[in-house]
Amino acid sequence: MAKKHIVVDPITRIEGHLRIEAMIDENNTIVDAYSSSTMFRGIETILQGRDPRDAGLLAMRICGVCTGTHYQRSIEGVEDAFGITIPKNARIVRNLIQGSLYVHDHLVHFYHLHALDFVDVVSALSADPAKTAQEAQKWAKVAGTTPYIEGEGHFAEIKERVAKFVKQGRLGIFGNGYWGNKHYKLTPEQNLIGVAHYLKALDIQRDMAKMQAIFGGKNPHPQSIVVGGVTCVQDIQNPARIALFKNLLKESTEFVKKAYLPDVYMAGTMYADEATDSKATFTELMQGKGVGGTGGGLLNYMSYGDFRLDDTGFYKSALLFPSGIVYGGDISKVEDVDPEKVAEDVTHSWYEGKNPLHPYDGQTIPKYTGLDKREDGIAYLKTNEKYSWIKSPIYNDTRVEVGPLARMVVGVARKDERITKYVTNFLKRGNLPISVLFSTVGRTAARAIETELMADVMVEWADELAANVAAGDLSTWTEFDFDKVSVKTKGMGLAEAPRGALGHWVKIENGKIVNYQAVVPSTWNAAPRDYKGRLGAYEASLIGTKVAEPEQPLEIIRTIHSFDPCIACAVHVVDTKGKELGVYKIDTQCSI
Amino acid sequence: MSDRIEGVKKLFTSKSARVETNKGDAYYDKLFQTCQARIEELKTQQPINNRLDIGDVLETQGIERRDFLKWASAVTGMLMLPASFTPLVADAALMMNRAPVIWLELQDCAGNSEALLRSDGPKIDEIVLDIISLEFHETLQAASGHQAEKQLEEAIEHFKDKYLLFVEGSVPLGMNGQFGTIGASGETMHDHLVRVAKHSAAVVAVGSCATFGGVPAAAPNPTGAVGVMDVIKGKPLINIPACPANPANMVGVIIHYILTGQVPELDSLLRPKFAFGYRIHDNCERRAHFDAGEYVEEWGDEGAKNNFCLYKMGCKGPMTFNNCSIVRYNEGVNWPIGVGRGCIGCSEPDFWDKYAYERPMADAKIKAPTGGVEKTVDEFGLGLLTAAGIGIGIHAAASAFAGKKEDGGEA
């Protein structure tokens, strides 16, 4: 049994710092995996003792990528504690800020953090521009549209620009990629489309960020949300601002429909053999037939729900994305989410504590136990003990996955009309079985489906805001008596970040925060094992994946990136017994 | 640490916060000659990283020379140089490819990387492909694993003593630095930073965390987080604070470096004066309302609807130095005061413990940086904030009084 001990470290193109160790058998198939975050900041501790009205701005700094999401959840947690219902304008503005983030964030993720797992930049240099234009036509047609970039001339220009760049010798951020790996499956023409859209998306995302800045003040880290409402009254009462928002949204939507969706069809089709080993139809799946392709993982999906559609207040209003939980990929059943059933375990996390605790009672007391042996410049995790700064969230004593896929799955299981329409349209246009969703490729597709839905629905919201203001309603804030409502209370901000279910829990006494816990999407997904030894979502999704060339673990990176990790990573692959039977330090494969 | 506090003190107690924008003909003549000589010398050199000259880029992108000069003229103004420097700034911009950049992320949220992605002058695709040589950037680069580590090692070797090291995120020193490790070897962020900084030409700390510790260093600073300047000594170091830093200021620092071969003139907190010599308050669009005593008194009130001054809602513009009231964010689309929230002082040290409050300084309970006893601003140990806070308070009260008088005694 020839076993390999391969080290890949770090995985890039994610936010933050993460390390994964995995074990492969003699067939290069992953049989075990460990996920570990290697950075701690202690923001929950820092929030203790502060004025709850100030928590949102600080809590937002948990992340600068899904920026503004933590801000809203934190503010909502305090509003929930104080029993405040915000005015209509504030609700819509918050939806627009958050919705802009979804569209922006998903697009940046697909092109700049994930696409290079599918697209070989160097291969694009041998593309035929005329054939590329035809290829672009083909995938745009699948998506029911026309190509974003048309004509061979444009593709020739882009090819020349990239060729010039490559000829210079040093590739900058494109240096040392896995270029030329034969498990890149796109044709040179398809790769050129990918590269062209990658570059265009760099440009487009600047404009998309402006949507958030119009009502948020800036991006990253908007600043217009306060406990009780929003502050951007001059921006909502100025029709030019709403018009600018709509123009930017139109521009973004065009890119989403004409570039992003066709590219997902292209990548999804070319990598479809990895997407599913099940040909189950939609009807069969609604009957609870089994599913799961490469990277499927836990198959338990949870969504807290997001985007309030009316003004009845927290946890009562209709939602764009319904809340719910689906077990085992069985979309014939869906259960309600009960926030009481959320708990965090620290058995394998670098914190003090024994039993899983509900976030209201959660503790964040570091207990770092270090790394294991160091050999050949590599330090290993003590995987039998504590091995991550991430805690292990548990719902109803089960491990679950969160994210866009979870939102789409729960939406379909809830028979939500709008979500079902977008999901079935997407699958129908691509002639794909619904089972493709339960995989690495499906996770990426679900994000694209959601992006199109968000872009479409935001136009309605912008109009609703304009109409409400035009009718004379300029209210942006609900008054409250801070001294009265902050004596002793607690609240939670439960909704969705672009990356999945996000909860902020806050306990307040005498106007001060006495306990604060945030359970973030990447905590659910990137968590280590729990007290029962059960795997987190990243860990589970890697099991069974075949790594064709272990010295270039493209498949691992692709699956981990499909979650859109909000942490920077390191990946280790070790043999089944943890024996070191050879270390492969990888030399550059960049041959140009 | 005491140097830092002294620095803050000096800044707040100085007679005028204004930057000296006219230093006399002799000064600018000399600087012009220095820059000219440097540009001429650079022109004789090949781009050290073989990047394209931006001139070619402009041509291929179909950008008119006139538009380019218009942009260069704006940058010249931003760098607080006389208009006569415009051609030199344009030349310097054309040779930005002489500045390879390595970007490290430590205790960060990637907010500054995201801000860099929003750069519009030049645009990010130009920065990445054509202009500077972004040699290592974890959030953007293709390579992973050993290939990524090798990319970093190669860049350090290839551009020895020539690269600008941009650092995002603070450095945890607690528990021997083990609150943050990077790479297969489990190297602490501290050691990682020291190693990569060793052969840099200059270090640029970007954002509040890398400059002054930022969020992780907020009381009680659970990980012993500090800014880069508390770790790296003996290198030219530039701080570009704010949360996140404005990409215009990042680009400004690079152009200035190309133009002069030196770090720009810095204040006592190592911030470039061209960007941080301005007090938000002095250039604020709502300043007239402050002077007239017209304030927002409650979120969403009539004052808010009329864009009155946000001082009473906790705006820290009077204590904060940054050019956001001039440059704004996201290509000038908006900024925090524009959006009716007020400034949280994010380009100042320890602002989470001193400024980021939804109340005016005069009313704020100041949380001491040590995390200890809370005091009112009047009791706060440094005194410097008292001076600023009360000074502003008096001005505010006087203005309010004046405002009411103008209303015809209605009070």
Side-chain angles (χ1 to χ4, degrees):
Chain A
M1 289 216 301
K3 297 219 176 121
K4 290 172 184 171
H5 178 170
I6 303 147
V7 178
V8 187
D9 187 345
I11 285 185
T12 53
R13 282 183 280 126
I14 64 168
E15 190 280 320
H17 304 273
L18 179 85
R19 149 188 301 240
I20 287 171
E21 297 191 5
M23 297 177 177
I24 59 168
D25 68 11
E26 61 276 19
N27 297 316
N28 289 354
T29 301
I30 297 172
V31 292
D32 217 343
Y34 298 89
S35 165
S36 162
S37 164
T38 59
M39 179 185 77
F40 176 72
R41 288 179 294 173
I43 287 179
E44 290 151 324
T45 309
I46 292 166
L47 281 162
Q48 285 178 17
R50 288 177 195 263
D51 188 309
R53 290 169 295 186
D54 302 325
L57 286 171
L58 200 148
M60 169 160 55
R61 269 68 184 186
I62 287 174
C63 184
V65 177
C66 41
T67 181
T69 292
H70 293 279
Y71 186 27
Q72 293 204 19
R73 301 296 87 87
S74 179
I75 298 266
E76 286 165 9
V78 175
E79 285 167 345
D80 182 41
F82 292 173
I84 297 167
T85 301
I86 60 172
K88 182 187 279 292
N89 290 330
R91 172 181 63 79
I92 301 172
V93 161
R94 289 185 188 184
N95 280 353
L96 290 175
I97 290 176
Q98 175 83 340
S100 304
L101 172 66
Y102 270 59
V103 177
H104 177 274
D105 199 49
H106 287 348
L107 183 104
V108 169
H109 172 258
F110 179 71
Y111 284 103
H112 307 123
L113 308 182
H114 197 17
L116 301 182
D117 305 331
F118 299 103
V119 173
D120 183 335
V121 176
V122 174
S123 155
L125 295 176
S126 50
D128 174 338
K131 280 190 195 160
T132 306
Q134 285 167 16
E135 189 71 18
Q137 287 281 359
K138 180 177 140 192
W139 295 108
K141 203 173 165 191
V142 172
T145 181
T146 53
Y148 190 81
I149 298 173
E150 285 193 279
E152 70 172 286
H154 287 114
F155 284 110
E157 273 174 30
I158 291 157
K159 185 183 159 186
E160 195 191 340
R161 190 181 182 197
V162 177
K164 259 188 179 173
F165 176 79
V166 169
K167 266 188 216 148
Q168 298 155 36
R170 290 195 63 82
L171 290 181
I173 58 166
F174 300 109
N176 276 3
Y178 298 153
W179 316 130
N181 185 309
K182 60 179 182 290
H183 296 278
Y184 276 116
K185 296 178 181 174
L186 302 187
T187 66
E189 285 72 27
Q190 292 172 335
N191 283 316
L192 181 56
I193 295 172
V195 171
H197 289 164
Y198 174 104
L199 293 173
K200 189 64 196 171
L202 277 174
D203 202 11
I204 287 280
Q205 59 84 30
R206 284 181 311 114
D207 277 347
M208 287 185 169
K210 289 182 201 162
M211 290 193 285
Q212 206 184 42
I214 289 171
F215 299 114
K218 64 186 170 80
N219 166 288
H221 297 328
Q223 203 160 312
S224 61
I225 300 170
V226 290
V227 174
V230 295
T231 62
C232 54
V233 58
Q234 78 161 315
D235 297 295
I236 66 164
Q237 65 182 324
N238 179 353
R241 302 299 271 171
I242 295 176
L244 175 61
F245 183 92
K246 285 178 72 175
N247 281 340
L248 291 165
L249 179 59
K250 199 176 158 196
E251 185 193 332
S252 308
T253 307
E254 193 190 351
F255 190 79
V256 168
K257 287 184 193 277
K258 293 183 158 191
Y260 185 6
L261 283 167
D263 287 354
V264 169
Y265 279 121
M266 181 172 82
T269 306
M270 298 306 284
Y271 289 84
D273 56 332
E274 293 178 12
T276 179
D277 48 17
S278 162
K279 300 281 180 234
T281 63
F282 190 79
T283 316
E284 285 167 336
L285 284 167
M286 289 305 281
Q287 292 162 351
K289 299 278 164 69
V291 287
T294 299
L298 294 172
L299 301 178
N300 300 326
Y301 302 99
M302 184 180 76
S303 166
Y304 289 152
D306 202 0
F307 296 105
R308 282 175 289 145
L309 301 176
D310 61 51
D311 299 300
T312 47
F314 293 113
Y315 316 117
K316 290 177 215 139
S317 70
L319 296 169
L320 177 70
F321 299 134
S323 75
I325 181 159
V326 166
Y327 294 103
D330 179 0
I331 53 174
S332 67
K333 297 190 198 99
V334 57
E335 288 180 16
D336 290 346
V337 173
D338 176 0
E340 287 303 311
K341 292 179 178 169
V342 174
E344 283 194 299
D345 169 58
V346 294
T347 305
H348 290 285
S349 311
W350 285 313
Y351 300 101
E352 302 262 11
K354 285 211 167 93
N355 302 315
L357 295 173
H358 186 272
Y360 275 136
D361 307 313
Q363 295 179 328
T364 309
I365 307 162
K367 185 189 177 186
Y368 187 68
T369 51
L371 300 170
D372 211 343
K373 59 185 178 183
R374 284 167 198 265
E375 278 168 15
D376 295 323
I378 298 159
Y380 298 94
L381 298 171
K382 291 180 188 169
T383 51
N384 291 329
E385 303 170 25
K386 291 176 182 290
Y387 64 91
S388 180
W389 286 112
I390 290 178
K391 299 178 185 177
S392 297
I394 296 163
Y395 178 82
N396 195 21
D397 203 24
T398 311
R399 306 306 300 268
V400 301
E401 173 180 335
V402 301
L405 176 56
R407 286 193 285 270
M408 295 300 104
V409 167
V410 167
V412 168
R414 285 276 184 210
K415 300 189 173 65
D416 178 276
E417 217 171 289
R418 188 166 358 212
I419 292 174
T420 307
K421 189 183 98 187
Y422 275 83
V423 171
T424 48
N425 277 353
F426 179 88
L427 295 170
K428 209 188 292 171
R429 288 191 301 226
N431 197 24
L432 301 162
I434 192 172
S435 51
V436 300
L437 290 182
F438 302 94
S439 67
T440 292
V441 169
R443 211 171 274 121
T444 299
R447 192 172 287 111
I449 297 169
E450 175 177 277
T451 309
E452 186 186 24
L453 188 159
M454 275 312 310
D456 287 344
V457 82
M458 268 198 292
V459 185
E460 298 168 21
W461 295 345
D463 288 339
E464 189 186 359
L465 178 66
N468 195 50
V469 170
D473 178 7
L474 280 182
S475 61
T476 49
W477 187 67
T478 301
E479 197 176 344
F480 59 94
D481 185 338
F482 179 71
D483 292 336
K484 273 191 186 157
V485 294
S486 68
V487 176
K488 188 171 167 62
T489 183
K490 60 183 182 180
M492 58 193 174
L494 291 194
E496 295 282 306
R499 289 163 181 78
L502 171 61
H504 281 234
W505 281 264
V506 59
K507 268 187 172 172
I508 296 161
E509 277 177 37
N510 302 319
K512 299 278 178 207
I513 294 169
V514 291
N515 200 11
Y516 199 102
Q517 292 288 316
V519 185
V520 314
S522 290
T523 315
W524 288 100
N525 289 340
R529 281 155 169 70
D530 66 11
Y531 70 108
K532 287 186 176 171
R534 292 173 302 195
L535 280 62
Y538 287 5
E539 297 177 338
S541 72
L542 289 172
I543 305 294
T545 298
K546 187 163 180 176
V547 185
E549 291 182 45
E551 62 278 14
Q552 292 193 349
L554 195 56
E555 296 83 354
I556 291 178
I557 291 163
R558 194 181 291 143
T559 290
I560 293 296
H561 281 158
S562 76
F563 285 93
D564 194 358
C566 225
I567 14 183
C569 328
V571 172
H572 293 234
V573 187
V574 297
D575 74 4
T576 43
K577 301 257 165 42
K579 283 183 193 162
E580 295 147 50
L581 297 160
V583 176
Y584 291 71
K585 280 214 175 189
I586 295 112
D587 289 324
T588 171
Q589 294 297 313
C590 178
S591 55
I592 47 168
Chain B
M1 184 63 91
S2 64
D3 284 357
R4 209 162 95 187
I5 291 168
E6 279 306 307
V8 183
K9 196 168 178 176
K10 206 169 137 192
L11 204 66
F12 279 114
T13 50
S14 64
K15 267 189 179 170
S16 168
R18 279 177 208 284
V19 187
E20 209 184 332
T21 48
N22 188 355
K23 297 179 181 172
D25 290 347
Y27 174 86
Y28 289 112
D29 287 347
K30 196 173 168 225
L31 183 65
F32 193 90
Q33 280 163 18
T34 310
C35 296
Q36 204 169 27
R38 176 169 163 83
I39 296 288
E40 289 308 318
E41 192 197 326
L42 281 178
K43 275 181 182 169
T44 64
Q45 295 170 6
Q46 283 297 309
I48 54 171
N49 59 342
N50 303 320
R51 280 284 176 274
L52 297 178
D53 269 346
I54 196 174
D56 298 337
V57 177
L58 295 173
E59 204 179 301
T60 54
Q61 302 248 316
I63 295 168
E64 298 277 340
R65 176 86 186 157
R66 199 178 49 185
D67 289 337
F68 174 62
L69 283 178
K70 211 187 277 175
W71 172 81
S73 148
V75 173
T76 308
M78 189 183 98
L79 294 174
M80 299 200 304
L81 295 169
S84 58
F85 277 67
T86 301
L88 287 181
V89 168
D91 279 345
L94 291 179
M95 289 187 290
M96 275 172 76
N97 53 11
R98 268 72 161 174
V101 169
I102 291 175
W103 183 297
L104 293 188
E105 292 176 64
L106 305 176
Q107 262 182 319
D108 72 316
C109 74
N112 295 286
S113 293
E114 288 283 327
L116 177 73
L117 278 173
R118 315 290 183 264
S119 173
D120 69 311
K123 293 192 293 189
I124 182 67
D125 59 325
E126 296 161 356
I127 288 179
V128 166
L129 268 197
D130 305 320
I131 300 178
I132 63 171
S133 168
L134 193 55
E135 291 297 323
F136 184 87
H137 190 302
E138 278 199 20
T139 303
L140 292 175
Q141 75 185 60
S144 288
H146 284 296
Q147 285 92 340
E149 292 200 305
K150 187 163 180 167
Q151 177 80 357
L152 177 59
E153 283 163 29
E154 278 182 359
I156 294 171
E157 185 59 34
H158 193 81
F159 299 117
K160 218 168 192 173
D161 303 321
K162 287 177 180 166
Y163 57 90
L164 293 176
L165 175 64
F166 278 68
V167 185
E168 171 177 18
S170 48
V171 194
L173 297 183
M175 206 173 63
N176 293 321
Q178 293 178 107
F179 282 113
T181 59
I182 290 177
S185 67
E187 188 179 32
T188 64
M189 288 174 173
H190 172 274
D191 293 351
H192 191 65
L193 170 65
V194 168
R195 179 165 65 86
V196 183
K198 192 175 172 195
H199 286 293
S200 63
V203 179
V204 186
V206 190
S208 300
C209 296
T211 50
F212 311 127
V215 164
N221 193 350
T223 60
V226 297
V228 173
M229 67 179 179
D230 292 323
V231 172
I232 299 298
K233 307 286 177 194
K235 283 275 172 199
L237 195 143
I238 304 161
N239 281 330
I240 311 180
C243 188
N246 198 321
N249 295 334
M250 302 182 203
V251 170
V253 162
I254 296 176
I255 292 184
H256 190 282
Y257 175 74
I258 303 287
L259 180 68
T260 63
Q262 294 162 0
V263 300
E265 191 181 348
L266 304 175
D267 70 13
S268 55
L269 294 167
L270 306 182
R271 305 179 294 192
K273 284 190 179 174
F274 73 74
F276 299 92
Y278 303 99
R279 186 156 50 190
I280 302 272
H281 191 58
D282 297 341
N283 297 288
C284 181
E285 65 201 17
R286 299 187 186 217
R287 175 61 190 261
H289 292 294
F290 177 89
D291 292 342
E294 296 171 336
Y295 297 98
V296 177
E297 308 266 357
E298 208 172 59
W299 299 124
D301 67 4
E302 283 307 305
K305 285 168 192 152
N306 288 294
N307 310 328
F308 283 2
C309 174
L310 293 159
Y311 173 71
K312 290 192 178 176
M313 299 310 291
C315 179
K316 305 304 185 296
M319 300 84 179
T320 306
F321 293 83
N322 203 339
N323 56 358
C324 22
S325 42
I326 302 161
V327 177
R328 303 190 178 209
Y329 288 86
N330 303 90
E331 298 178 52
V333 163
N334 218 336
W335 68 304
I337 288 172
V339 89
R341 177 55 185 273
C343 169
I344 61 171
C346 70
S347 51
E348 301 303 325
D350 306 324
F351 73 98
W352 289 114
D353 296 323
K354 290 175 184 166
Y355 297 155
Y357 284 91
E358 199 181 286
R359 288 160 296 289
M361 280 302 292
D363 300 346
K365 295 277 186 191
I366 294 294
K367 186 168 184 170
T370 51
V373 185
E374 295 197 351
K375 298 172 176 179
T376 66
V377 66
D378 299 324
E379 298 162 328
F380 194 61
L382 286 177
L384 61 102
L385 295 170
T386 314
I390 289 178
I392 296 289
I394 290 167
H395 186 177
S399 301
F401 182 66
K404 278 172 187 161
K405 264 206 323 205
E406 275 169 22
D407 287 346
E410 179 201 339

